[in-house]
Amino acid sequence: MSTVTHTLDPDTLPVAVRPAFEAVLRRNPGEPEFHQAVHEVLASIAPVVQEHPHYLEDGILERLVEPERQIIFRVPWMDDNGRVQVNRGYRVQFSSVLGPYKGGLRFHPSVNSSIIKFLGFEQIFKNALTAQGIGGGKGGSDFDPHNRSDGEIMRFCQSFMNELYRHLGEHTDVPAGDIGVGAREIGFLFGQYRKITNRHESGMFTGKGTGWGGAEVRTEATGYGTVYFVQEMLAVRNKSLAGRRVLVSGSGNVALYAIEKAQQLDALPITASDSSGYVVDDAGIDLDLLKEVKEEERLRISVYADRRPSARFVPGRRVWEVPGEIALPCATQNELDGDDASALIRSGVVAVAEGANMPSLPEAVHAFQSAGVLFAPGKAANAGGVATSALEMSQNAARQRWSFADSERKLHHIMQSMHEAAYVAAERYGNPGDYVIGANCAAFVKVADAMIAQGVI
Ligand code: NDP
């Protein structure tokens, strides 16, 4: 993983938005990921506030960059050897102006305040873009689920929920999964919430098992949605995915289903990775085998190459050195830097869409846009997951269950609408084809208008 290398000097921002960024730097020292996410949004929305100065009144920007509430708590649990372990839990409730706080939980050793705040801040805009009436939040822990037994995972999740439950609820805050939090963890977390509160409150968690309140397509939604977004970007330019070599990083939830949808649309995904390195398979990824290795057996990615003659494992390196036309970073933040972008541009990449949250460093985004490569930021491209979570909330509230086909149609329609919103806003604010500016401006206007309507609170 790379670190931020470009300057985050407030002077690089238009004067109108500088005070909000200065407040972020002052209040959140040593939090580079959060600074990076705020800087990108403030730089993007400058054309909106220049044209509509009323958005600078009532401290809209200063309020937007300050979470409504931040919860940090101790998570003690007992490992299989009878030793007490202590982790730190987080929930940052960033904005509820458009609906209950909504955003995933991440269990990964790299989790800290900066990571959770960057993700929570991004989530405000992503959720606004979905137009599903959901606010922004994020949470997690520095707990590492790798190599832990099911019993250890369960005890950790129960301890985590022993504190978090009091801050959740279907009308208050609705978590979901993220890195390290999949079906198993969501089951344990939901079970403990039910036990403590004596309420089977389906709408307080999304990503549940389909047998107990979960929605069809939620598992697939983020990966599918990312590929749908690429399909839209290409379609408005009379291009298609068919036959194109697709580079995917990661091999978790988002990556697996991005590969699945790309294959269904006749593209050729040829890579997958994890933190140990990547595999490249010129015959095209064998998805059943990849799921067997990563989802069922929870093994390292090299095992895929051990079992597949057409594939090879490249340790300790990133997939971006492989030639391809479509790049889908689906692992984690800051996994694609300026050098990676240059390599992709040299090899003829046509479109990049972020399945992960903020996987591209600012210099990589700049390089893609300068080279005329279509670039979809995560807050638009990967919003299919949270949009389908909102569909899960609707089904829970109405005590309904929609079919897979129906849910997928709705997801597809939402991705088309988000593409349209970002595309139109980019043109409207003088930067046609710039989906970063388009997504940020379209989302900002929705959030800011609601904040103005609801008063200074
Ligand atoms: P998973 O835990 O299912 O998979 C994460 C994948 O990324 C694994 O292959 C993991 O490898 C790899 N990875 C994680 N951290 C690192 C790292 N520091 N360096 C290299 N590889 C790493 O997570 P998801 O697929 O759910 O999430 C992936 C990304 O998508 C995240 O940025 C998440 O925030 C974003 N996202 C997810 C959504 C969802 O619905 N799940 C919704 C929207 C965004 P290893 O096992 O070796 O760690």
Side-chain angles (χ1 to χ4, degrees):
M1 210 168 63
S2 303
T3 49
V4 187
T5 52
H6 79 309
T7 172
L8 290 177
D9 185 340
D11 291 347
T12 56
L13 289 169
V15 177
V17 301
R18 264 183 223 164
F21 191 62
E22 282 163 353
V24 166
L25 294 179
R26 193 173 59 249
R27 286 216 182 89
N28 307 275
E31 300 193 350
E33 294 85 1
F34 181 42
H35 302 168
Q36 183 183 344
V38 174
H39 189 279
E40 181 214 279
V41 169
L42 292 179
S44 297
I45 62 167
V48 181
V49 296
Q50 270 149 12
E51 195 177 317
H52 307 287
H54 73 282
Y55 286 129
L56 291 174
E57 291 162 16
D58 295 338
I60 292 288
L61 298 186
E62 287 77 2
R63 281 192 281 151
L64 201 48
V65 298
E66 182 67 16
E68 289 177 14
R69 192 174 296 104
Q70 303 182 58
I71 302 142
I72 299 182
F73 52 101
R74 181 175 66 197
V75 190
W77 56 282
M78 198 169 285
D79 70 18
D80 285 346
N81 299 318
R83 273 202 313 272
V84 172
Q85 304 277 347
V86 177
N87 287 97
R88 181 173 280 187
Y90 299 84
R91 187 74 181 166
V92 177
Q93 298 178 329
F94 233 109
S95 171
S96 58
V97 74
L98 293 180
Y101 308 108
K102 183 86 196 83
L105 297 174
R106 176 177 293 191
F107 292 168
H108 192 273
S110 64
V111 162
N112 56 33
S113 283
S114 176
I115 301 271
I116 298 298
K117 274 190 227 162
F118 116 65
L119 289 164
F121 183 70
E122 290 275 294
Q123 200 82 44
I124 306 172
F125 301 94
K126 180 188 307 193
N127 293 3
L129 270 182
T130 68
Q132 299 294 306
I134 39 181
K138 198 81 186 188
S141 173
D142 57 3
F143 172 70
D144 186 356
H146 287 112
N147 304 319
R148 289 292 178 191
S149 69
D150 286 352
E152 289 176 317
I153 300 280
M154 182 178 74
R155 290 192 293 280
F156 173 81
C157 289
Q158 290 173 340
S159 178
F160 185 85
M161 191 51 87
N162 283 346
E163 172 58 34
L164 192 64
Y165 85 95
R166 68 187 89 241
H167 307 288
L168 305 181
E170 61 183 317
H171 301 297
T172 310
D173 186 346
V174 185
D178 190 76
I179 292 178
V181 179
R184 174 182 56 172
E185 292 76 15
I186 291 172
F188 294 146
L189 289 161
F190 182 83
Q192 187 69 356
Y193 181 89
R194 183 173 58 76
K195 169 86 178 168
I196 298 171
T197 61
N198 196 27
R199 285 165 63 91
H200 189 114
E201 192 184 322
S202 299
M204 60 65 63
F205 218 109
T206 60
K208 301 179 293 294
T210 48
W212 43 279
E216 296 289 351
V217 187
R218 177 59 190 92
T219 304
E220 296 83 358
T222 307
Y224 277 21
T226 302
V227 177
Y228 280 140
F229 201 94
V230 176
Q231 190 185 28
E232 286 305 301
M233 290 200 296
L234 293 173
V236 292
R237 293 161 179 92
N238 295 317
K239 295 180 180 164
S240 88
L241 271 162
R244 295 189 190 269
R245 284 163 64 95
V246 180
L247 309 177
V248 177
S249 67
S251 50
N253 172 265
V254 180
L256 289 174
Y257 294 96
I259 291 172
E260 186 163 290
K261 183 49 69 183
Q263 288 178 341
Q264 289 171 6
L265 296 175
D266 298 324
L268 187 70
I270 51 168
T271 65
S273 70
D274 65 15
S275 48
S276 67
Y278 72 85
V279 291
V280 55
D281 186 343
D282 284 321
I285 293 288
D286 177 340
L287 190 57
D288 289 341
L289 175 59
L290 189 62
K291 285 183 179 174
E292 177 185 299
V293 171
K294 297 302 296 186
E295 260 187 343
E296 288 160 34
E297 299 180 33
R298 297 176 191 272
L299 299 173
R300 306 314 289 159
I301 196 78
S302 57
V303 176
Y304 175 91
D306 295 342
R307 296 181 188 173
R308 174 96 166 153
S310 56
R312 69 193 159 85
F313 173 61
V314 182
R317 297 190 65 85
R318 300 179 184 165
V319 302
W320 317 123
E321 61 192 16
V322 178
E325 290 166 278
I326 309 288
L328 305 178
C330 295
T332 192
Q333 66 275 354
N334 293 336
E335 53 157 318
L336 197 165
D337 63 19
D339 292 341
D340 298 321
S342 301
L344 285 166
I345 292 164
R346 273 197 306 276
S347 78
V349 73
V350 173
V352 180
E354 297 186 324
N357 284 312
M358 208 169 73
S360 315
L361 278 129
E363 60 264 27
V365 179
H366 180 69
F368 290 135
Q369 292 180 327
S370 305
V373 174
L374 296 171
F375 177 78
K379 63 171 69 73
N382 70 35
V386 74
T388 307
S389 278
L391 301 183
E392 183 171 331
M393 292 162 71
S394 300
Q395 290 167 79
N396 292 150
R399 294 188 152 281
Q400 286 181 353
R401 265 202 81 179
W402 304 338
S403 69
F404 192 97
D406 204 16
S407 307
E408 196 184 350
R409 242 190 328 273
K410 288 186 167 71
L411 166 66
H412 193 176
H413 177 69
I414 290 171
M415 296 312 299
Q416 288 173 320
S417 304
M418 280 192 296
H419 173 272
E420 169 86 4
Y423 186 85
V424 168
E427 290 207 331
R428 164 76 184 76
Y429 292 104
N431 291 275
D434 186 331
Y435 290 96
V436 177
I437 289 186
N440 283 329
C441 290
F444 171 74
V445 167
K446 284 187 192 195
V447 176
D449 283 347
M451 289 175 78
I452 291 168
Q454 293 178 31
V456 180
I457 46 171

